[in-house]
Amino acid sequence: PVVQYSYFKPETKGLDFEGMMADLSKVKAGDVKFMLGLERTLSEDGTTTSITQRGFVDDLYDLYARHMKRKVHPTTPFPPGMFLAAVKKEEQDPVMSKEIMNRGYQKVVGSLLWAQRNCYPECSIGVQYLCRQMSSPTEEAWRGAMHMVSYLKGARDYGIKFTRCDKPRLSVYYDASNKSDINDGVACAGHVAMLLGGPIEWCARKLPADSPGQSAHHNEYMALSQASKTTQWLRSLLIEMDFGDWVSGPTKVYGDNDAATQLAREDILTIQNRYYAKDAHFSKKAFQHGLTNPVRVPGTDNLADGLTKALPRAAIDKLTPMLKGYKAISAASAPSGEPIINCLLYTSPSPRDLST
């Protein structure tokens, strides 16, 4: 057991790291199969590892089972086509919102956020939508939340999976929606980083509010910038962990917008892009420095497609098994891409270099 000890030093208002490390050295490692509600399962031959949250999902479903109108669990993480935005103040119904709050709306969304962050990347956009109504939820939002809880129950054994391979390679997928929030005009973007057949980093969030996209191309280009930042961080992390051979060449960053891909690869100035914020061009610097290789992938084969919109069942059935590592990524979802040209190929630059 860990020795009870106060690591805070009042005299310096700092932490006693030496005392902390001394105590940690006395801790005996327990069963690493379970950690923070996550369950790791290693296959008998040692070639695959899966991570699930079965206990957490079971408890979550039991807590809200009385609100379920159907016993059959849905096969999509969020109602297809559902789009939520914060309710305008003049349109809010305080009585209804309070009643939904009392059902436990904020609590269930917080629980769904925890599941989405750990094992269920396909729930990302649904959780993003639900979070928009945390202060004034509607019946539609509540229905979406219960839909996701029921989905998780049906997918309790369907977490994320990683498979051993001879030559692991990092790859990244990104996408952006052209459907903006009615309150601020800002669209949503998402990206997912894949390694060893499964996702290691994913997100769905609004694009920068100070530069709402003026077109699908603009939104996709900003999404590519965010994906490129994640790519650079993961490359640096893997190199620091002595896995530099996994990112020995430019990392492929897949997107389904030709204009965004072309702008990242070439110097093109038009009246349609000359006003883009400086931050949006991070992807261009990442390409020029040999960190990324922007590649086109068909929209129907883009693993990040479900991170920006509530997809129908057919699309979920096609993309989610690859997204979560239960099916090998198809050739259509991993095209070879164009060769790298006109790149300044040298050792990975610092973030300061990329900002210039």
Side-chain angles (χ1 to χ4, degrees):
V2 177
V3 177
Q4 296 299 316
Y5 184 83
S6 175
Y7 301 115
F8 181 72
K9 289 183 175 181
E11 62 275 14
T12 62
K13 295 184 179 180
L15 292 176
D16 178 9
F17 288 103
E18 292 184 0
M20 185 186 302
M21 295 307 297
D23 281 351
L24 288 175
S25 66
K26 304 173 185 177
V27 179
K28 294 182 179 180
D31 185 1
V32 294
K33 181 178 180 180
F34 298 95
M35 180 178 291
L36 299 176
L38 306 181
E39 180 181 353
R40 178 186 64 84
T41 303
L42 183 66
S43 63
E44 292 184 1
D45 60 4
T47 59
T48 65
T49 297
S50 60
I51 303 175
T52 58
Q53 292 177 275
R54 292 184 293 185
F56 176 82
V57 168
D58 288 343
D59 291 344
L60 178 63
Y61 183 84
D62 290 344
L63 188 61
Y64 294 95
R66 66 185 185 280
H67 297 289
M68 301 299 168
K69 295 183 179 180
R70 297 180 59 191
K71 298 301 181 182
V72 178
H73 303 301
T75 55
T76 60
F78 204 63
M82 180 178 285
F83 180 87
L84 299 176
V87 182
K88 295 181 179 180
K89 188 174 182 179
E90 60 272 18
E91 298 176 359
Q92 294 178 4
D93 185 339
V95 176
M96 180 186 68
S97 295
K98 184 177 180 179
E99 195 273 328
I100 296 175
M101 286 285 202
N102 292 336
R103 297 179 201 168
Y105 181 80
Q106 293 181 333
K107 183 176 181 179
V108 70
V109 173
S111 297
L112 293 172
L113 181 61
W114 177 247
Q116 173 266 322
R117 285 180 171 177
N118 289 291
C119 295
Y120 297 94
E122 71 273 30
C123 293
S124 297
I125 189 61
V127 171
Q128 213 281 336
Y129 287 160
L130 295 174
C131 287
R132 297 180 182 184
Q133 295 194 3
M134 290 296 275
S135 61
S136 183
T138 61
E139 283 290 350
E140 184 180 25
W142 177 256
R143 180 168 61 87
M146 293 301 100
H147 179 107
M148 188 174 292
V149 170
S150 184
Y151 166 82
L152 291 179
K153 179 65 174 179
R156 64 186 295 275
D157 299 314
Y158 190 44
I160 55 178
K161 185 178 180 180
F162 301 94
T163 303
R164 179 184 298 175
C165 62
D166 294 332
K167 296 180 180 180
R169 302 295 298 179
L170 176 69
S171 62
V172 179
Y173 293 79
Y174 74 93
D175 193 25
S177 170
N178 201 36
K179 187 172 184 178
S180 304
D181 189 319
I182 59 175
N183 294 294
D184 54 19
V186 179
C188 201
H191 61 264
V192 57
M194 305 291 293
L195 186 64
L196 294 168
I200 61 171
E201 164 83 8
W202 60 87
C203 78
R205 63 168 66 101
K206 280 189 174 183
L207 289 164
D210 59 341
S211 55
Q214 302 300 300
S215 63
H217 164 222
H218 191 187
N219 287 332
E220 295 274 1
Y221 191 59
M222 288 189 288
L224 174 55
S225 173
Q226 294 183 346
S228 297
K229 294 175 182 178
T230 294
T231 303
Q232 193 214 332
W233 171 69
L234 288 173
R235 286 173 60 91
S236 299
L237 179 63
L238 290 170
I239 291 172
E240 186 175 337
M241 296 171 65
D242 291 329
F243 295 125
D245 54 328
W246 294 4
V247 290
S248 56
T251 299
K252 291 181 180 178
V253 183
Y254 297 101
D256 53 33
N257 186 277
D258 292 337
T261 300
Q262 184 181 21
L263 182 55
R265 300 177 66 93
E266 303 175 19
D267 289 328
I268 303 174
L269 180 64
T270 70
I271 58 174
Q272 282 80 27
N273 66 34
R274 63 186 181 184
Y275 58 86
Y276 287 6
K278 180 180 179 181
D279 182 68
H281 295 292
F282 186 94
S283 58
K284 183 180 291 293
K285 284 294 184 181
F287 169 71
Q288 292 174 346
H289 287 303
L291 299 177
T292 63
N293 177 17
V295 177
R296 182 190 185 280
V297 64
T300 54
D301 297 297
N302 187 350
L303 300 192
D305 193 35
L307 302 182
T308 61
K309 60 188 75 69
L311 297 177
R313 179 178 177 178
I316 291 293
D317 290 344
K318 177 182 180 179
L319 297 176
T320 302
M322 293 188 287
L323 172 67
K324 305 188 70 172
Y326 286 85
K327 181 180 178 181
I329 297 176
S330 66
S333 292
S336 59
E338 300 177 26
I340 298 295
I341 56 175
N342 298 328
C343 290
L344 310 175
L345 296 177
Y346 57 82
T347 304
S348 298
S350 66
R352 181 177 179 181
D353 294 331
L354 283 176
S355 66
T356 58

